[in-house]
Each structure stands twice: as structure tokens, then as C-alpha cells.
Amino acid sequence: MFGLFGRRRDEREVIELEPDGPVDCIADFTYNFHWQHRGEKLDPEDRIPGTSCTFRDVVEHLKGGGEVVVRGDAGHRLASSMGADLAYFGGTGGALDTGVLTVEGDVDTRMGISMVSGTIYVKGKVKDPVGNVVEVKSDRRGYKKFLSVTDILKSGLRGEKPVNFTFTPGRMVIDDGHVRDTLCARLDVDAEVIHKGDVDLSTGILMRRGTVRVNGNAGKNTGALLSGGTVIIDGDCDDFSGIDMRDGYLIVNGNAGKLMGAQRKGGVILARDGKPVPPTSEHELKDEDKEILLGLGFRPQLFRRFS
């Protein structure tokens, strides 16, 4: 089912979907990385199973500030990169304001991965890992409400009340027990995020400014496409840390994993251990590296420089 069914109190136009079971990649602004598979995996013009609506219809409706309601469960990667004005599709590469996505059932893993704007309401359960989102007090009874970490750091809470995180202008501390992917994706403001607990994929992906510190371990692709700012992992990382890194610092107070710095074009990785691949190799610490490590409470003599 697909159709307009009027407007909510905030005057948004609303589309409702009733798909055939949990469908992956609804409201995925990347169309599941279309530039990698060129439509073989998912095409924007594909219809969402059980509906007359295409994946593009949903994304464009959200770009226009509307609301999309999923009457049932949602699959993986719901709202991936929501709010990103992707250059691949002719956008600016920045962020844009987006509407509201509501799910009346459960949501599978990686909801809001790399999300930079918009609002998600979920009536059911959300499965970890989640994406670049945190929960705020909901204004809809029976629903949980989620916003982008990056959006809050950029624009503030705007009257929203945090749930299991604290926020002051320029600083957020998250302690809600969730494992996250893509924490601080596309962050481009001088802000600090402390995440208490482990994270999974691609922490700090496409960051340009700011600092994110994880009090725990991290998954694969930590610091992927890092373009500035600082990512700090207090524990270990999985493989491919700093892949395609362009600028900034990735600091790992443990093992940064195998295949570290693959396709790296710039930036510096400071880690206790790890296995780099060309063009990344090990070098002597510089004085500026030592100052940064000391400022973070680390002992420079335990670290190695990879650049």
C-alpha cells in the first residue's frame, strides 16, 4: 500500500507504506551505495515490495520535508545517510533538512547509519548496532524518538530533552548502552563526543572537524574517509582502520588491526600496535604527536606513528 493520507498537526504531507515484511534500505539516501554496484544490488526506481512506492519516492518525499510511515517492521539500514546531499546524485556533498520517518513496528540493525538530519519515530524495538543517532524524549505517546548525533552537535537540541546522554553546546556524552556505527559521521563543527562503551563500524567517517572519543573498542573501518578532526579509541580496533583517510588524527590506545591505512591519502594514525599496508608505514613520533598524546593522558613512548 502507498498513498497520501492527509497531514499531521505539523502540516507535513504523509506517505504510508505497508511492505511485504521487513524490507531493507527504506529511506536509504545512498540506495545502499549505488556507486559501487550501479543498480545491480538496489536501484532507486525499484518498488518497495508490497507497495507501489519506489525507494526514490521515499527519499525525495523526505527531502521535501514530508513524513513517511511504515506500517509494520523495517529491515536493516533504515534511513542510511538520511539528510546527506550526496554529490554522486548531483548534490552539494553537505547536509540538507529532511522530514520524519515513522515505523509502527520493530527496526533491524544499523538504523540511521551516517544519518545527518531528520527525525525517526519507532513504536517497536530497535536492534543494535544502531547508527549515528541518539534518543530524545518523544512527543508521540508510545513511540521512541531519534535524532542524528551530527545534527544535534551542529544545531543544538532545539528544545528536545536527552534520553541517556548529556549535551551542552559543543559537548555530548553518550551512556545508553547501545553499540553504534558511524558515530559522528560527516561532523564539521568543533565539538566533542564521548561514547561510553563499544562501537562498531566506521566511527568518524567523513568527519572534517571535531573530536570523538570512544571509551571501549571499535569495529572495522574506524576513521574511514576521515577528512579532519580527531578520532580516539581507548581500546582496540578491528581491521581497515584509517582506510581512505585524508586528514586528521586517528588515535588508538591499543591494536589498530590489520590492513591499517589502506588507500590512505593523508592524516596520521597513532597506535600502540597494528599492521599497516602501503601507502601507510611506520615512522618516528614527532614532537606534535607527543604533545597530543600527553594532552589526552596517554604515554607517548607506548605509541607508534603510522603515516
Side-chain angles (χ1 to χ4, degrees):
M1 182 171 62
F2 159 48
L4 296 176
F5 62 97
R7 297 173 181 265
R8 292 194 183 274
R9 286 177 295 178
D10 58 7
E11 296 301 312
R12 295 182 190 274
E13 287 192 344
V14 182
I15 287 177
E16 66 173 356
L17 306 171
E18 193 170 342
D20 289 342
V23 175
D24 293 345
C25 300
I26 293 176
D28 183 343
F29 277 48
T30 75
Y31 301 110
N32 203 18
F33 302 111
H34 188 271
W35 48 88
Q36 294 179 356
H37 58 78
R38 305 289 179 174
E40 292 183 6
K41 195 172 181 180
L42 173 67
D43 191 272
E45 305 310 326
D46 289 344
R47 295 195 181 277
I48 297 171
T51 79
S52 60
C53 182
T54 68
F55 288 92
R56 187 188 299 278
D57 290 334
V58 168
V59 169
E60 293 301 321
H61 190 70
L62 291 168
K63 284 182 179 179
E67 179 170 359
V68 175
V69 177
V70 179
R71 299 207 177 278
D73 297 335
H76 305 278
R77 297 182 58 84
L78 179 80
S80 174
S81 290
M82 183 171 169
D85 193 18
L86 298 171
Y88 175 79
F89 296 114
T92 64
L96 44 78
D97 291 334
T98 47
V100 175
L101 182 58
T102 300
V103 179
E104 296 194 338
D106 299 332
V107 181
D108 216 322
T109 60
R110 302 200 153 93
M111 180 189 82
I113 193 168
S114 294
M115 178 175 162
V116 293
S117 72
T119 303
I120 302 175
Y121 291 94
V122 180
K123 194 169 189 178
K125 297 178 181 179
V126 178
K127 190 173 180 180
D128 275 2
V130 297
N132 185 40
V133 293
V134 285
E135 186 180 350
V136 296
K137 185 176 180 180
S138 182
D139 51 348
R140 294 185 186 176
R141 181 174 295 178
Y143 289 82
K144 292 183 178 180
K145 183 177 184 179
F146 299 89
L147 301 177
S148 160
V149 170
T150 298
D151 192 28
I152 292 173
L153 293 169
K154 176 184 175 183
S155 303
L157 280 169
R158 292 170 289 191
E160 305 285 358
K161 296 182 179 180
V163 175
N164 294 324
F165 73 94
T166 61
F167 177 78
T168 54
R171 191 172 192 269
M172 179 185 291
V173 179
I174 305 172
D175 189 13
D176 60 2
H178 285 293
V179 177
R180 284 179 170 78
D181 291 324
T182 66
L183 181 62
C184 293
R186 296 177 180 268
L187 182 64
D188 194 16
V189 294
D190 293 322
E192 179 187 26
V193 173
I194 307 295
H195 188 281
K196 296 187 177 182
D198 295 342
V199 294
D200 200 350
L201 299 176
S202 302
T203 300
I205 186 171
L206 287 165
M207 269 180 58
R208 295 180 177 87
R209 287 189 291 166
T211 300
V212 54
R213 184 164 187 165
V214 174
N215 297 154
N217 299 316
K220 292 182 179 179
N221 299 341
T222 300
L225 295 158
L226 185 66
S227 300
T230 304
V231 174
I232 307 158
I233 309 298
D234 284 337
D236 298 325
C237 294
D238 208 333
D239 300 338
F240 292 103
S241 298
I243 185 170
D244 209 4
M245 186 174 172
R246 285 90 187 273
D247 198 0
Y249 270 89
L250 170 58
I251 302 172
V252 182
N253 188 30
N255 193 315
K258 302 173 185 176
L259 302 168
M260 176 176 49
Q263 302 173 21
R264 188 188 56 82
K265 299 171 179 64
V268 176
I269 302 171
L270 303 177
R272 290 195 179 206
D273 200 1
K275 295 184 178 179
V277 293
T280 302
S281 59
E282 185 175 350
H283 302 272
E284 292 291 327
L285 286 180
K286 295 184 177 181
D287 288 342
E288 62 196 58
D289 303 330
K290 296 175 183 178
E291 291 177 7
I292 290 171
L293 291 168
L294 285 169
L296 294 170
F298 296 138
R299 297 168 61 189
Q301 61 268 33
L302 299 178
F303 283 77
R304 301 151 67 186
R305 175 189 174 99
F306 301 93
S307 59

